[in-house]
Amino acid sequence: MAFRLLTLGELRLVDPSGNAVAFSEKGLIILAYLFVHPQRAQSRTALSKLLWDAVEPAQAYTNMRKSLSRIDGRQHELGHQFVQITASDVKLNAKAIDCDIAGLEAPPVSDALIDLRSLVGLFSHAFLENVDSTGAALSAWIGQQRVQHLSRLRKALITAIPIAKSAQDIALVKDAALRIFQHDPDDEMIVSLLAETYSTEGKVEAFRNIYEGQKQKLWGNLTLDPDVHALNVVKKVFEKQRTLLAVSQQGIGDQLGAKANTGLKRSMPRLVLLPPVESIAGRQPLLPFADALIEDVTIALCSLTSVSVVAPYTAAQISRQSDKATTIAQHSISYVLDTRLSGQGTQCSLFVQLVYFANDEVIWADRYDMEKDSLAVQRRQIARRISMAITGEIERNELAREYFEQSPTAYHHYLLGQRHLKNLGLPDIRRARKEFRAALNHAPYFAPALSGIARTYSREWLITARGDAQLLKEAEKHANKAIAAGQDMVGGYRELGVAKMLLGGIDESVEALELAETLSPHYADVTADYADTLVHASKPDLALEKIEKAIELNPLSPDVYLWTAAGASYCLEEYEQALSYIERMADRGLANRLSAASWAMIGDQKRAKSFVRKARETNPDFDVDTWLTAVPFKEQWQKDHYRDGLRKAGF
């Protein structure tokens, strides 16, 4: 028997005899993280950000090195190597240690009641219940795992309800529902189930007491000046309490079905899972397997009451439309799971990304191996992982949507502004600013609109190339207002990072954008801005890695992504690569100066001069030295390199 890590309830390590073993808490958290991670491995940098996100990156990395040293020393004392530590990453040795949640990766057992009973016993305590997680990144990760555990329990509960006949089975169902209710008292299906169960037993008063306890808990957590969201949660509890006695005396399964149908007619978000397409030739034989995988996920999600899933046939029809966006909008679809096959040689993988359609934000993405020999075994397991991930991300995003929907008119203007910002022309930038200001007329503290205005000023500064510092001051001012209005929203930090970078505060910019990426790690636009800042921080190699990640998250990339990739490539003296990125831009004229410099460095003076002429047509007053004085680069070699290319081109 191996050592065992216990994560549900008190976090601890026990030896093969079941005795607790002394081990550092940070070390145990790292073990728990690696057990959850699909690859069972993670880089030192990523782990340091998880555990010490509130301190400087250099200090966090130092803390990480010390913790790993202590872990390694303790492993030697115990004579067991739980993790393999290298100069760059940490990898779990699954043969030396087991974990209480390791079994969650296995497919559910065929007997739904046995599966539910096992989960109820397993989830008697919350994940890392007693860990004092003061850091935002660690707290967010722990919260994500708990949401996934509740989602797993809820799914098992729904599957077990139709076959729960005996008193023992009904008691199990009620126990599972109570576990979920304790963590999510706003779940209408669970409230309905508990109300029906207690009323059938003649214990309506007992359920009323449960609600009263939950009400007191909610009020006890409120500050002296409770925010609107907290008050709304309490209000919903009161409203549900008044309707308890109106629950009918039908069977549990019938009642739940009726409630689910009612919910679908109200405001349930709709999700479409588009069947995969290939990004390379020669992988056609795997498409049927991938299609079946996505159909598995669709079927798994159909049992949920928090999301409405578009049927596979309609999803296939949508994927064939030339204008998918219009079709998706016509069917009031909120979320799109985009999938595609990719790979080389004998390797093939399925890339999936979940997009919130209203603002084209990628809120989650991942990649899964699709090897033919192992696909039959992995199919259901992969389907379950994707299902849990989608469910968790949609639930989290729906909570964020409450903020947006407080003022529908403001949100409407915000979305119009976002559409204009997809183009880099000056008229579109100013139209976007006008829409964002209109949003603020309806909701003065609407953080996304404040972030949007900040972005328009930064974009205008870049496009006009006049070095107008006042534009950047306005961008910084509105970014700070956005942070104050929505402290847990990524937009303000993103725009502050961009403004600080253009103002020359490179280190402050990196810090702000690193925080923005931590808050929203799958938000492609944030990653792209982080990449741009890394170019100016004289780290073009890291910048190119970041922008390639952003392009993978957002394959039909906007021009600004490709512009950043071209700039990073130029700094790395990969001039042909820079030109290839520019060639992919829809409006290549925006990069005329960079094209001229790249062709000049290659030695093609004729082409370089043609781009100089084009650049002069749109900006006849452009001056190299004035521009380079305004553009911040952390190290002088970058300015010299750019100046050299522009001078050779003829500027």
Side-chain angles (χ1 to χ4, degrees):
M1 180 180 174
F3 280 75
R4 186 171 176 81
L5 178 69
L6 303 179
T7 65
L8 299 170
E10 181 184 354
L11 177 63
R12 62 194 188 280
L13 180 68
V14 297
D15 63 20
S17 300
N19 300 315
V21 176
F23 212 85
S24 70
E25 183 178 73
K26 286 290 191 292
L28 294 177
I29 293 173
I30 290 172
L31 289 174
Y33 181 86
L34 295 177
F35 262 108
V36 172
H37 197 281
Q39 278 75 48
R40 298 287 198 268
Q42 185 56 280
S43 68
R44 286 177 175 236
T45 302
L47 288 172
S48 67
K49 290 178 182 178
L50 175 75
L51 296 173
W52 294 282
D53 62 315
V55 303
E56 292 291 332
Q59 182 60 50
Y61 200 82
T62 299
N63 294 346
M64 187 75 245
R65 186 175 65 250
K66 292 178 179 178
S67 287
L68 292 178
S69 177
R70 285 193 290 270
I71 291 171
D72 200 36
R74 185 59 176 140
Q75 288 185 151
H76 284 299
E77 292 173 2
L78 294 172
H80 286 78
Q81 187 178 39
F82 307 125
V83 292
Q84 298 172 357
I85 302 171
T86 69
S88 59
D89 55 26
V90 183
K91 184 176 182 180
L92 183 73
N93 179 13
K95 294 181 179 178
I97 187 171
D98 191 15
C99 184
D100 53 359
I101 60 171
L104 292 177
E105 295 183 354
V109 298
S110 56
D111 189 320
L113 288 168
I114 292 177
D115 187 43
L116 181 62
R117 184 168 286 106
S118 173
L119 291 175
V120 167
L122 189 63
F123 296 140
S124 58
H125 294 283
F127 182 71
L128 303 193
E129 190 172 76
N130 297 323
V131 170
D132 183 15
S133 54
T134 55
L138 180 58
S139 294
W141 175 71
I142 292 173
Q144 181 184 28
Q145 301 311 309
R146 291 174 181 173
V147 166
Q148 291 181 358
H149 293 170
L150 280 180
S151 176
R152 174 76 168 84
L153 180 60
R154 193 179 191 277
K155 181 180 176 182
L157 173 62
I158 292 171
T159 305
I161 285 171
I163 60 173
K165 304 299 182 182
S166 68
Q168 185 180 15
D169 294 343
I170 296 297
L172 174 64
V173 166
K174 186 173 73 172
D175 192 7
L178 280 170
R179 300 284 173 88
I180 298 171
F181 175 77
Q182 289 168 0
H183 297 281
D184 187 8
D186 236 17
D187 190 321
E188 293 187 8
M189 188 213 79
I190 297 300
V191 170
S192 299
L193 171 60
L194 288 172
E196 171 62 23
T197 304
Y198 276 89
S199 62
T200 301
E201 296 173 350
K203 298 179 181 178
V204 174
E205 187 62 31
F207 191 45
R208 202 193 310 274
N209 291 336
I210 292 174
Y211 257 113
E212 184 64 25
Q214 189 64 24
K215 179 189 68 176
Q216 293 296 332
K217 178 181 177 182
L218 286 168
W219 277 111
N221 289 336
L222 294 177
T223 61
L224 292 177
D225 296 307
D227 61 28
V228 175
H229 176 69
L231 290 174
N232 284 339
V233 171
V234 175
K235 181 181 177 182
K236 288 179 181 178
V237 171
F238 283 136
E239 289 173 349
K240 287 174 183 173
Q241 188 174 7
R242 287 197 297 268
T243 63
L244 285 179
L245 293 176
V247 177
S248 68
Q249 299 295 319
Q250 301 171 3
I252 293 176
D254 294 340
Q255 180 67 22
L256 285 175
K259 291 290 181 181
N261 291 333
T262 303
L264 284 170
K265 294 175 183 177
R266 289 200 297 269
S267 59
M268 188 177 296
R270 299 192 76 194
L271 165 70
V272 63
L273 294 86
L274 299 180
V277 295
E278 293 181 302
S279 61
I280 58 167
R283 306 303 305 184
Q284 195 67 26
L286 283 175
L287 275 177
F289 292 93
D291 278 335
L293 173 62
I294 297 305
E295 189 166 338
D296 260 0
V297 179
T298 304
I299 293 169
L301 290 175
C302 284
S303 63
L304 301 176
T305 61
S306 59
V307 62
S308 170
V309 184
V310 175
Y313 179 82
T314 296
Q317 299 302 311
I318 292 174
S319 70
R320 299 188 185 103
Q321 300 293 321
S322 57
D323 187 358
K324 294 186 182 69
T326 299
T327 307
I328 289 168
Q330 287 173 347
H331 290 84
S332 302
I333 293 169
S334 308
Y335 298 90
V336 179
L337 185 79
D338 188 33
T339 64
R340 70 179 186 272
L341 285 171
S342 62
Q344 294 180 349
T346 59
Q347 301 295 318
C348 187
S349 61
L350 178 71
F351 178 74
V352 298
Q353 60 178 6
L354 183 64
V355 180
Y356 181 42
F357 180 70
N359 60 358
D360 290 334
E361 179 184 347
V362 178
I363 60 176
W364 171 77
D366 209 341
R367 186 180 296 279
Y368 299 91
D369 290 335
M370 292 287 289
E371 295 307 308
K372 195 170 183 179
D373 292 341
S374 59
L375 187 61
V377 176
Q378 294 180 354
R379 176 179 169 184
R380 189 164 299 280
Q381 183 178 4
I382 294 175
R384 177 176 162 273
R385 287 181 180 176
I386 295 178
S387 300
M388 291 179 65
I390 289 175
T391 304
E393 293 298 335
I394 288 180
E395 288 176 354
R396 187 157 38 253
N397 198 53
E398 284 299 298
L399 287 175
R401 281 181 61 193
E402 291 183 11
Y403 179 87
F404 286 83
E405 293 170 356
Q406 288 173 4
S407 176
T409 304
Y411 187 46
H412 174 74
H413 284 292
Y414 164 73
L415 291 180
L416 289 176
Q418 286 287 88
R419 295 294 177 185
H420 288 306
L421 265 185
K422 291 185 182 298
N423 303 313
L424 295 180
L426 190 57
D428 283 300
I429 290 172
R430 289 175 175 170
R431 289 189 193 104
R433 188 181 303 150
K434 181 179 178 181
E435 293 294 345
F436 293 140
R437 290 198 186 282
L440 293 177
N441 288 336
H442 294 277
Y445 302 105
F446 190 50
L450 290 164
S451 300
I453 290 176
R455 171 141 296 238
T456 65
Y457 282 117
S458 298
R459 286 274 179 88
E460 183 170 343
W461 186 90
L462 286 167
I463 295 300
T464 56
R466 294 194 300 264
D468 186 351
Q470 187 57 38
L471 291 172
L472 298 181
K473 290 295 184 182
E474 287 292 325
E476 182 182 18
K477 180 179 75 175
H478 283 86
N480 281 318
K481 285 184 177 180
I483 292 171
Q487 296 182 16
D488 58 345
M489 302 184 74
V490 69
Y493 298 100
R494 174 193 179 192
E495 300 311 329
L496 181 63
V498 172
K500 284 292 188 183
M501 182 268 291
L502 297 176
L503 284 165
I506 302 295
D507 292 337
E508 292 174 287
S509 174
V510 170
E511 182 180 355
L513 285 163
E514 186 174 28
L515 177 57
E517 191 182 45
T518 300
L519 288 171
S520 193
H522 301 297
Y523 192 170
D525 288 349
V526 168
T527 302
D529 284 336
Y530 194 3
D532 187 41
T533 288
L534 288 171
V535 171
H536 292 273
S538 302
K539 298 178 180 179
D541 51 343
L542 296 178
L544 197 58
E545 290 180 14
K546 286 286 183 186
I547 197 63
E548 286 174 349
K549 174 189 173 185
I551 290 172
E552 184 176 68
L553 288 170
N554 198 1
L556 303 177
S557 308
D559 284 348
V560 68
Y561 286 28
L562 302 168
W563 196 358
T564 299
S569 299
Y570 179 89
C571 292
L572 292 169
E573 301 184 17
E574 298 288 347
Y575 308 117
E576 292 182 355
Q577 179 174 279
L579 290 166
S580 70
Y581 279 117
I582 294 171
E583 187 64 27
R584 291 162 56 186
M585 292 173 63
D587 184 1
R588 293 187 287 276
L590 297 168
N592 282 335
R593 293 193 299 272
L594 186 55
S595 294
S598 298
W599 282 117
M601 298 301 276
I602 289 173
D604 193 328
Q605 203 63 29
K606 182 178 179 180
R607 290 190 179 181
K609 289 188 178 300
S610 71
F611 282 103
V612 171
R613 286 194 298 272
K614 292 178 181 178
R616 291 290 190 197
E617 290 172 3
T618 56
N619 192 354
D621 299 326
F622 175 74
D623 178 76
V624 173
D625 291 328
T626 301
W627 173 238
L628 288 177
T629 299
V631 176
F633 286 113
K634 190 165 187 178
E635 296 184 11
Q636 185 62 34
W637 67 264
Q638 276 183 290
K639 288 194 176 186
D640 295 340
H641 185 203
Y642 204 2
R643 180 184 288 107
D644 189 24
L646 292 172
R647 292 297 189 200
K648 285 182 178 179
F651 282 104

